[in-house]
Amino acid sequence: MKLLENFLTAAEHLKDVLLPTRLIYSPIFSEESGNLVYIKPENLQKTGSFKLRGAYNKIRKLTEAEKQRGVIASSAGNHAQGVAYAARELGIKAVIVMPKTTPLIKVEFTKKYGAEVILHGDVYDDAYQKAKELEAQEGYVFVHPFDDPDVIEGQGTIALEILEELPDADVIVVPIGGGGLISGVACVAKHINPNVKIIGVEPSGAASATASLRQNHLVTLPEANTIAEGTAVKRIGELTLALIREYVDEIITVDDYELTESFLLLVEKHKIIAENSGILAMAALKKLQERAKKIVPIVSGGNIDVLMIASMISKGLVSRNRIFNFAVSIPDRPGELAKITQIIAEEGANVIKLAHNQFKNLSRFRDKEVLITVETNGAAHIAQLIAAFQAKGIAVVAS
């Protein structure tokens, strides 16, 4: 059990650095999935994600000579902040190379933790190449975001906490980007209890682990197209793929619409704000085959732009049928619009937006189109509203 001892040692060194992220029982996600769901909220961790664990463990284990050289990393988000924070705590110089397109707030947070930030290139790959150049030129120690045993070791401490708090957990659901988080969690969990099922979750537009497992070798995707930008990885790690193959039981993919639904539920029911990649595990819960089991989804991060929050809430409302956009045609004469709004009011829906389109050619020349957006209580409420219009002889066209 030497391997498990390494994770326990990492946890011991991390205990004074981390914030406690105790499990949160979720009645709403339990009801929707048919299981008992306990959320592991790593979005509440220092620096806003789990990444601090691996970064700190990696930098802590450097030799004195390596610490004198300083560390370098490439990242557009959570890994950057984790490395910067860890280096500051350990008194080591940190240089972070970020794409020029990185949101200013993330750049500023990384600088706030004491790192020197270099903006280079338009995408992560450009920043990575620049960081590797500086590693060779300046002698820095490169801290990889996922394909590193010490980083994986730090991430695996999450599983120790989960199984200490909920020893009889049946399933742990873990997001997959490069694979560092799920590799560490799966390795620890299986050594403590081989019966714990480990399920990984990837965005359908960036499912590099799924593709690599299917073809039985590392696959580089032609593109990574997902709103879960923190897990938009074209090529999973070589080490992480091997660990996933050995310890992970299943991988599920979710699409962007499923992410928006889970984002809305987390905000509305738990007042939890998570980034798009952080909610992959939550979005997968309805796809699990298990029933009446104790399930622990890991919410991996919460660093999200305020404008993105507004967009995710809006899209989530539509996806969960809480917002209904539709059109009706009415005769172009006084009083007809009032009849429409009266039907909506009688059915308990709330008008958010209403607009005429008098210039659209309709089947009857003197008719006009009315475009309406209403707030509802869900699919059943929408069906009730449509039925009320039909009862009045008015056809509803969803848009």
Side-chain angles (χ1 to χ4, degrees), residues 339-340 342-343 346-347 386-395:
K339 293 178 183 178
I340 298 299
Q342 183 179 354
I343 293 171
E346 288 174 351
E347 297 306 319
I386 292 173
F389 274 107
Q390 290 174 339
K392 300 287 186 180
I394 301 172

Side-chain angles (χ1 to χ4, degrees), residues 242-318:
L243 291 169
I244 288 170
R245 184 181 286 116
E246 183 173 358
Y247 293 113
V248 174
D249 298 285
E250 181 184 351
I251 295 179
I252 294 171
T253 59
V254 297
D255 62 34
D256 289 350
Y257 292 103
E258 290 165 324
L259 289 175
T260 62
E261 287 190 36
S262 295
F263 183 91
L264 178 65
L265 276 184
L266 270 176
V267 170
E268 191 171 42
K269 302 301 183 182
H270 288 288
K271 315 305 181 235
I272 291 176
I273 301 291
E275 61 195 85
N276 298 342
S277 57
I279 53 177
L280 283 166
M282 306 306 301
L285 293 176
K286 289 199 292 186
K287 294 187 169 184
L288 301 183
Q289 300 300 311
E290 287 74 17
R291 292 295 179 269
K293 301 293 185 181
K294 291 184 177 179
I295 313 290
V296 181
I298 298 174
V299 175
S300 58
N303 292 317
I304 182 171
D305 181 79
V306 173
L307 293 177
M308 178 59 77
I309 292 174
S311 175
M312 290 292 286
I313 290 174
S314 297
K315 289 179 171 62
L317 286 168
V318 173

